[in-house]
């Protein structure tokens, strides 16, 4: 045959076009038997396919029935045939040249249509409360009818737990009522297969009254009548256990499993608990069951033993097989059942016992084994399993054939999967004998050594838990041939939701955001995000609508309401996988207001307030507030009523507010107004007291009572008073509408008993309790006496006697201390350091701490009351002892040479005694070891400077200066510093040209002393000569060379001795001359900006130091007052020897540097130059610079540091702020 299709399709077409065994395509339903009442009831289908087309034959009771058929084997009864001929057991056989298939057996019962014999109408009588059963006896049939009890109008008799129809069709009454009497109880039998309904003869029931109804009847089991029943149930079928009780009142029925738990079985009560119904019985339902009927008069039980058996069912079914000649065949046919089924084998419909015996064939239960098969063994094999409850049958085709091997699966298939999944790569083969397949990877290594790899029987390679390393090409080949195909595996990253939707609580009317951030493989460009609400897909909408899905997957829900309470899921779908994450939105809101607020149990002074809670909106109510007359009272959330006490003579309206975590609800509707009758006052005002301010007057006051406590009209207060201590004194009284109430002519600070009573038109309130009050006070007349002191270092303890004639309530004492000069020349002149210590109550001692040492004080004491203080006691003088001094006020440095350092300091602000001198300690900073501490002792307290020689210029030193008194050494002032090196002219100068000048800037060297130098310049044109600038200091950092010609080139040189330190050529600006380069490329401009920034930072620091210390050198004025006349000239003499170290040009420069801070001027008159003509440096304790530098002396008027004046340079350029090192380094 010609084949235009692919090789695989051609192989299949060739295989199936050659031959096919008969295969049953429409077997009839698996029924062991059924009943036929009419000819059209019998239709036994038997259809089969095969090549060549099969023929059909029927066998009835082991004998051939009818003729052989072709095309279709379905068996039907013809009109001319008697129905009784079909009574028996049938089986169909379908055959062709390859074998015979057969159906299972089915038994047909042929019956005549049921007929009901005519009977007389039955009459039954019974008394009220008795039980009754009305029997139904339909004609017998192998197809039992359904029973329906009706009346003559074909209305069903109503069933209940008292009246019900049993499984046997009888109508049971647990107890009779008078209403059960009727003439038309009909039992209708419905034969479904016979399509017939037979009404039984009517039964008339008469219920007679009885006097025994009141006594009742104990519960009994009406049906079944015995105490025990045995039931056989088949696996997979339904089962009903029935227990119908009788008794008065109607009993209740309960079921239990005696040998287990009922809820662990498949049974559940039905039909008013009268039935225990099993939908599909299985082995766990086997066991003992019990039903118990009970009422108030007794109980009765019935037990059931349920035995579960099973018709045969397949555990392993026969399969169609293809083998090559010479192979061994194993046919497996495993079936289970209770009892164990018997398995029989047939070949082409013939039992093995009827087939010629063959030694190659062996049968062992459900296994048929054929060795060394031949082409003639091709046949249809049948396996049939049978037990007491039925039989099952399977047909399987064994095809013995020789065919060349082929691979039917396509070559080059690309399989795509995400990591972690399981992939199956197909390699379906064809051939006989069956081809043996193996798979190889790209490295030709065997794959089956990997536990994740499985080779299925059909040649498919299954790879589980796939990872990125599994990507590549795989080859399927047939062993011992060159036949193979390739498969390509691509592994993609698994899509993951990084941040899924959370459980969000959203405020009603607001918005909610649910995240859905995910990561996917970039090789999967197409994806879809689907949001679902309770499983229903949400449609993406515009930003103004309810739902908005953003590009990152986030879902926004606007205007959330109660209907938005739901579970929300985010589903990300790619070409290969999908992931889902679930969250929820819970809409919360303030609760609804309570409903139906009502008043009940109303009395004169009490009532009960009740309400119905409103909806909480997913936020539990935490409490309720009721509002009587604008007052709030909280009650717990689980309260819905509250008993309230009411005030007389008040009108009330009540509202209730619910509260949850989001806040209060709107108030409920108010109740109708409720008024209470008046009454005498229930209580008196509180806080009765005297607040007398004037001497000789008693002012009585109290806390006013709220209006709701007036309890009636004409409310006022009755005020009573009398002198204290006199029980025989008569009470005086008066009336007032409100406090205070005044009584005159009472004397000064006289005690009184006072009372205030509430009164209204109906009478007085309860008798009040008396309080003690006083008339007005006056200023104390006498001071405390016998003031004495005891001094302890910085603390003084003061004692005195209690004050007399206070003329009021003594509130306490005031201790006044004044500080005086120590030498005693001034008679108790205060120094502005008065201190007042207040002592509350009657305490007559006080301790005052924090006194200055080595000082004179005076102390006096006064007593005070609310009206004022007494006169002060006579002053008592005392002195504090001498102590160690504080640290020196300042420590400054100057380095004349690189090996020496001059220290000078100012005395301590607090000497705390007579200074004996100073101790100077200094230590070299060495990283590798601790250097020795050197010490200098100065015994003259007027000497406040020290020169240190032989210092190492390569190291920093730590300096400490300590003042000394007779009490010991004080606290040190500590600074860190180093000596300075000789300075040299700068070697890196930035030039900024102007029309007639050059602005030169440089960075002064670190730790270099100031150095003066000249700038030589030459005009590079005909007739140009070398010129020299004035002396420039290296600490300036900036200089303007003026008086130049525009548009001219100059040669600039800085010399140091006989060597050139720096030189450059530059043009001044002018016609045709432009500055090249951009802003950022000008080095001079960058240097200028850096210098200006540095200047601003230093001046800001100076301002802060000035503000913190109250002036630049405020200590100078104080020293002028404290030190004697010999100290000041000594300072000038001491430091005058260093004046020669400075140059005149440096003095000029110091005046040309203004400060940004108004009260801190560089080179100002109040600078450290007044303490010496040297550079003054001030450091923090950590060595950082905090001070200000100045020149030695004012420069003569009219001199400028920037050079000679010219018409083009009338003012010098702004100076560059000196760095710390440049200021330290003076010109050498």
């Amino acid at each position: 045959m010609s084949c235009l299709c692919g090789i695989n399709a051609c192989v299949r077409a060739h295989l199936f076009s050659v031959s096919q065994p008969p295969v049953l395509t429409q077997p009839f339903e698996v029924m062991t038997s059924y009943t036929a009442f009419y000819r059209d009831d019998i239709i036994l289908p038997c259809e089969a396919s095969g090549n060549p087309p099969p023929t059909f034959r029927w066998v009835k009771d082991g004998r051939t029935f009818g003729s052989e058929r072709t095309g279709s084997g379905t068996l039907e009864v013809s009109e001319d045939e008697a129905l009784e001929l079909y009574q028996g057991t049938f089986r169909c056989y379908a055959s062709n040249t390859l074998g015979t298939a057969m159906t299972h057996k089915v038994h047909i019962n042929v019956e005549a249509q049921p007929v009901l014999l005519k009977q007389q109408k039955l009459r039954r009588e019974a008394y009220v409360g008795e039980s009754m059963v009305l029997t139904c006896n339909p004609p017998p049939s192998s197809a039992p009818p359904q029973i329906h009890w009706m009346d003559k109008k074909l209305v069903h008799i109503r069933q209940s737990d008292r009246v019900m129809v049993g499984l046997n069709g009888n109508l049971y009454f647990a107890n009779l009522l008078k209403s059960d009497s009727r003439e038309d109880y009909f039992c209708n039998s419905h034969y479904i297969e016979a399509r017939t309904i037979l009404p039984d003869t009517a039964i008339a029931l008469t219920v007679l009254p009885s006097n025994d109804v009141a006594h009742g009847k104990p519960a009994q089991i009406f049906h079944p009548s015995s105490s025990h029943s045995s039931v056989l149930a088949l696996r997979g079928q339904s089962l009903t256990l029935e227990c119908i009780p009788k008794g008065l009142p109607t009993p209740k029925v309960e079921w239990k499993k005696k040998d287990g738990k009922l809820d662990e079985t498949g049974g559940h009560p039905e039909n008013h608990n009268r039935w225990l119904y099993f939908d599909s019985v299985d082995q766990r339902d086997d066991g003992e069951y019990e039903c118990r009927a009970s009422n108030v008069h007794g109980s009765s039980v019935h037990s059931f033993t349920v035995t579960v058996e099973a018709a045969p069912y397949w555990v392993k079914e026969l399969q169609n097989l293809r083998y090559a000649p010479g192979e061994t065949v194993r046919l497996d046919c495993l079936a289970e059942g209770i009892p164990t089924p018997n398995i029989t084998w047939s070949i082409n419909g013939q039992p093995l016992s009827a087939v010629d015996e063959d030694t190659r064939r062996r049968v062992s239960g459900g296994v048929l084994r054929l060795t060394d098969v031949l082409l003639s063994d091709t046949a249809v094999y049948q396996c049939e399993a049978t037990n007491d409850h039925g039989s099952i049958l399977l047909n399987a085709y064994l095809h013995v054939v020789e065919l060349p091997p082929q691979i039917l699966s396509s070559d080059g298939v690309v399989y795509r999967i995400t990591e972690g999944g399981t992939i199956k790569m197909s390699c379906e083969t064809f051939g006989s004998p069956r081809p043996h397949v193996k798979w190889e990877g790209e490295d030709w290594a065997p794959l089956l050594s990997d536990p994740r790899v499985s080779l299925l029987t059909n040649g498919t390679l299954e790879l589980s838990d796939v990872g990125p390393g599994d990507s590549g090409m795989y080859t399927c080949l047939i062993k011992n041939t060159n036949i193979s195909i390739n498969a390509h595996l691509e592994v993609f990253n698994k899509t993951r939701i990084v941040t899924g939707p959370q459980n969000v609580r959203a405020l009603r009317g607001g918005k909610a955001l649910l995240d859905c951030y995910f990561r996917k493989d970039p090789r999967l460009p197409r994806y879809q995000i689907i949001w679902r609400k309770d499983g229903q897909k949400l449609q993406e909408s515009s930003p103004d609508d309810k739902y908005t899905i953003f590009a990152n997957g986030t879902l926004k829900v606007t205007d959330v309401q109660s209907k938005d309470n739901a579970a929300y899921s985010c589903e990300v779908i790619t070409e290969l996988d999908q992931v889902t994450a679930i969250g929820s939105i819970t809409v919360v809101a303030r609760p609804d207001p309570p409903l139906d607020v009502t008043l009940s149990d109303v009395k004169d002074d009490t009532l009960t307030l009740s309400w119905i809670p409103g909806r909480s909106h997913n936020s539990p109510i935490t409490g309720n507030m009721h509002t009587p007359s604008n007052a709030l009272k909280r009650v717990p959330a689980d309260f819905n009523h509250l008993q309230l006490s009411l005030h007389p003579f008040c009108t009330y309206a009540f509202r209730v507010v619910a509260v949850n975590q989001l806040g209060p609800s709107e108030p409920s509707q108010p109740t109708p107004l409720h008024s209470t009758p008046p009454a005498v006052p229930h209580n008196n005002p509180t806080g009765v007291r005297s607040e007398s301010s004037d001497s000789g007057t008693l002012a009585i006051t109290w806390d006013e009572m709220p209006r709701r406590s007036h309890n009636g009209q004409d409310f006022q207060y009755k005020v009573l008073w009398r002198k204290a201590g006199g029980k025989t004194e008569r009470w005086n009284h008066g009336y007032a509408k409100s406090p205070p109430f005044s009584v005159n002519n009472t004397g000064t600070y006289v005690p009184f008993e006072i009372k205030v009573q509430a009164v209204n038109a109906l009478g007085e309130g309860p008798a009040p309790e008396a309080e003690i009050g006083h008339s007005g006070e006056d200023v104390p007349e006498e001071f405390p006496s016998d003031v004495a002191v005891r001094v302890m270092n910085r603390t003084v303890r003061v004692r005195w006697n209690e004050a007399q004639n206070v003329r009021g309530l003594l509130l306490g004492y005031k201790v006044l201390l004044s500080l005086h000069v120590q030498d005693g020349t001034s008679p108790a002149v205060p120094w502005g350091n008065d201190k007042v210590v207040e002592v509350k109550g009657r305490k007559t001692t006080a301790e005052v701490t924090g006194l200055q040492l080595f000082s004179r004080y005076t102390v006096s004491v006064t007593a005070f009351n609310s009206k004022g203080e007494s006169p002060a006691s006579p002053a008592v003088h005392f002195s504090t002892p001498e102590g160690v001094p504080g640290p020196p006020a300042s420590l400054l440095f100057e380095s004349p040479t690189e090996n020496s350092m001059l220290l000078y300091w100012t005395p301590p602000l607090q000497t705390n005694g007579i200074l004996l001198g100073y101790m100077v300690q200094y230590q070299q900073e060495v990283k590798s070891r601790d250097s020795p501490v050197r010490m200098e002792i100065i015994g003259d307290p007027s000497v406040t400077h020290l020169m240190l020689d032989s210092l190492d210029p390569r190291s920093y030193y730590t300096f400490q200066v300590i003042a000394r008194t007779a009490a010991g050494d004080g606290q040190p002032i500590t600074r860190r510093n180093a000596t300075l090196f000789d300075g040299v002219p700068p070697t890196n100068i930035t030039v900024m040209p102007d029309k007639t000048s050059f602005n030169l800037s440089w960075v002064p060297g670190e730790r270099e002393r100031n150095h003066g130098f000249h700038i030589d310049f030459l005009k590079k044109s005909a007739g140009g000569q070398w010129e020299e600038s004035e002396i420039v200091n290296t600490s300036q950092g900036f200089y303007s060379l003026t008086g130049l010609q525009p548009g001219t080139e100059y040669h600039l040189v800085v010399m140091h001795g006989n060597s050139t330190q720096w030189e450059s050529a530059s043009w001044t600006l002018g016609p045709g001359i432009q500055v090249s380069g951009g802003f950022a490329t000008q080095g001079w401009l960058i240097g200028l900006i850096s210098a200006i920034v540095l200047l601003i930072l230093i001046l800001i620091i100076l301002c802060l130091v000035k503000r913190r210390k109250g002036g630049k050198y405020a200590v100078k004025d104080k020293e002028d007052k404290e030190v004697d006349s010999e100290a000041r000239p000594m300072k000038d003499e001491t430091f005058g020897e260093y004046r020669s170290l400075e140059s005149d040009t440096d003095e000029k420069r110091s005046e040309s540097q203004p400060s940004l801070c108004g009260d801190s001027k560089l080179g100002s008159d109040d600078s450290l130059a007044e303490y010496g003509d040297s550079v003054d440096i001030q450091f923090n304790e950590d060595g950082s610079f905090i001070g200000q530098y100045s020149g030695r002396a004012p420069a003569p008027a009219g001199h400028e540091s920037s050079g000679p004046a010219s018409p083009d340079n009338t003012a010098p350029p702004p100076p560059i702020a000196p760095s710390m090192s440049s200021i330290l380094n003076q010109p050498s």
Side-chain angles (χ1 to χ4, degrees), residues 286-463:
D286 190 282
E288 297 285 333
Y289 295 83
E290 180 183 273
C291 74
R292 176 179 294 274
S294 61
N295 62 12
V296 295
H297 301 293
S299 62
S300 180
V301 297
H302 183 89
S303 61
F304 297 85
T305 299
V306 176
T307 302
V308 178
E309 295 189 355
Y313 57 91
W314 295 118
V315 176
K316 186 173 183 180
E317 299 184 5
L318 278 178
Q319 304 293 328
N320 294 328
L321 302 173
R322 184 173 61 249
Y323 282 87
E327 292 186 304
T328 298
V329 177
R330 176 189 171 102
L331 300 177
D332 290 310
C333 180
L334 301 180
E336 295 288 347
I338 303 175
T340 302
N342 179 43
I343 295 179
T344 58
W345 290 89
S346 299
I347 301 178
N348 289 331
Q350 292 186 339
L352 284 183
S353 58
V355 179
D356 293 339
E357 189 172 343
D358 191 336
T359 57
R360 296 179 301 112
R361 184 170 56 236
R362 288 188 300 167
V363 176
S364 176
V367 177
L368 173 62
R369 187 185 302 272
L370 283 172
T371 59
D372 195 18
V373 294
L374 306 173
L375 294 175
S376 59
D377 291 322
T378 298
V380 178
Y381 291 76
Q382 287 84 27
C383 171
E384 187 170 18
T386 305
N387 69 3
D388 297 342
H389 307 298
S391 63
I392 50 177
L393 175 74
L394 284 176
N395 291 276
Y397 175 55
L398 174 62
H399 191 191
V400 183
V401 65
E402 282 186 305
L403 292 172
Q406 295 289 343
I407 297 179
L408 304 182
S409 299
S410 300
D411 188 16
V413 176
V414 177
Y415 295 91
R416 306 168 72 202
I417 191 172
T418 57
E419 58 181 336
T422 298
I423 189 69
K424 292 183 178 180
M425 292 180 281
S426 176
C427 186
E428 184 181 356
T429 59
F430 172 79
S432 183
R434 177 182 299 174
H436 293 282
V437 170
K438 75 172 182 177
W439 284 84
E440 294 177 344
E442 288 183 334
D443 54 359
W444 304 103
L447 296 174
L448 294 180
S449 59
D450 191 331
R452 300 177 298 126
V453 178
S454 301
L455 181 60
L456 306 184
T457 56
N458 61 358
T460 297
L461 180 71
E462 181 178 271
L463 176 60

Side-chain angles (χ1 to χ4, degrees), residues 731-772:
W731 283 95
N732 303 292
H733 72 274
Y735 292 91
K737 291 290 186 181
S738 62
F741 183 86
S742 296
V743 181
N744 297 323
N745 302 320
T746 59
T748 300
Y749 201 63
V750 177
F752 284 86
E753 290 184 82
I754 54 178
K755 297 190 294 186
V756 180
Q757 188 175 26
V759 180
N760 65 14
L762 296 182
E764 298 178 347
E769 294 290 333
E771 303 290 342
I772 298 297

Side-chain angles (χ1 to χ4, degrees), residues 421 775 790 813 845 859 931 1115 1185:
S775 58
R790 180 185 175 190
Y813 299 89
T845 60
V859 61
S931 62
V1115 71
F1185 169 73

Side-chain angles (χ1 to χ4, degrees), residues 630-826:
N630 298 322
L632 295 178
K633 183 173 182 179
R634 287 185 175 268
V635 295
D638 54 351
F639 277 44
N640 61 357
H641 66 276
L642 181 66
Q643 187 173 25
L644 299 174
S645 297
L646 307 180
H647 292 282
F649 199 59
C650 290
T651 299
Y652 292 89
F654 298 92
R655 296 189 297 179
V656 182
V657 176
V659 181
N660 62 11
Q661 291 182 342
L662 300 174
S665 70
E666 293 295 326
S668 66
Q669 292 296 321
T671 62
L673 295 178
H674 173 73
S675 298
T676 55
V680 297
H682 291 159
N683 46 42
N684 293 312
T686 59
V688 178
R689 61 199 180 276
S690 64
E691 291 184 354
S692 306
S693 58
D694 297 330
S695 177
T697 301
L698 173 64
I700 304 173
T701 188
W702 58 90
D703 298 334
E704 284 200 82
M705 297 174 61
R707 289 183 57 85
R708 66 171 181 269
S709 298
H710 293 181
N711 292 2
Q713 296 179 341
D714 300 332
F715 180 83
Q716 58 183 340
Y717 299 97
K718 182 179 180 180
V719 184
L720 302 97
W721 71 95
R722 71 179 181 184
K723 284 188 177 181
K727 298 300 182 181
T728 60
E729 288 279 340
R730 181 178 61 85
W731 283 95
N732 303 292
H733 72 274
Y735 292 91
K737 291 290 186 181
S738 62
F741 183 86
S742 296
V743 181
N744 297 323
N745 302 320
T746 59
T748 300
Y749 201 63
V750 177
F752 284 86
E753 290 184 82
I754 54 178
K755 297 190 294 186
V756 180
Q757 188 175 26
V759 180
N760 65 14
L762 296 182
E764 298 178 347
E769 294 290 333
E771 303 290 342
I772 298 297
H774 291 80
S775 58
E777 299 181 356
D778 206 345
V779 177
E781 285 186 337
E782 298 181 10
F783 54 79
S785 61
D786 296 335
V787 177
V789 297
R790 180 185 175 190
V791 180
M792 299 167 288
N793 204 5
R794 292 179 179 267
T795 301
V796 61
R797 175 172 295 177
V798 185
R799 294 180 177 273
W800 60 91
N801 292 336
E802 187 172 347
Q804 304 298 318
N805 202 9
V806 178
R807 297 201 296 179
L809 178 63
L810 178 64
L811 298 180
Y813 299 89
K814 293 184 180 179
V815 180
L816 296 85
L817 280 88
S818 296
L819 175 65
H820 300 268
V821 295
Q822 178 65 32
D823 56 9
T825 57
S826 299

Side-chain angles (χ1 to χ4, degrees), residues 440-444 470-475 486-489:
E440 294 177 344
E442 288 183 334
D443 54 359
W444 304 103
D470 297 320
S471 298
M473 185 179 71
Y474 293 79
T475 301
N486 293 324
H488 299 272
L489 178 61

Side-chain angles (χ1 to χ4, degrees), residues 925 956-959 974-978 1179-1183:
E925 294 184 2
Y956 271 83
Y957 286 82
T958 300
F959 300 91
T974 304
R975 297 289 184 267
R976 179 178 180 269
N977 208 342
F1179 293 89
N1180 277 327
E1181 292 187 5
D1182 59 354

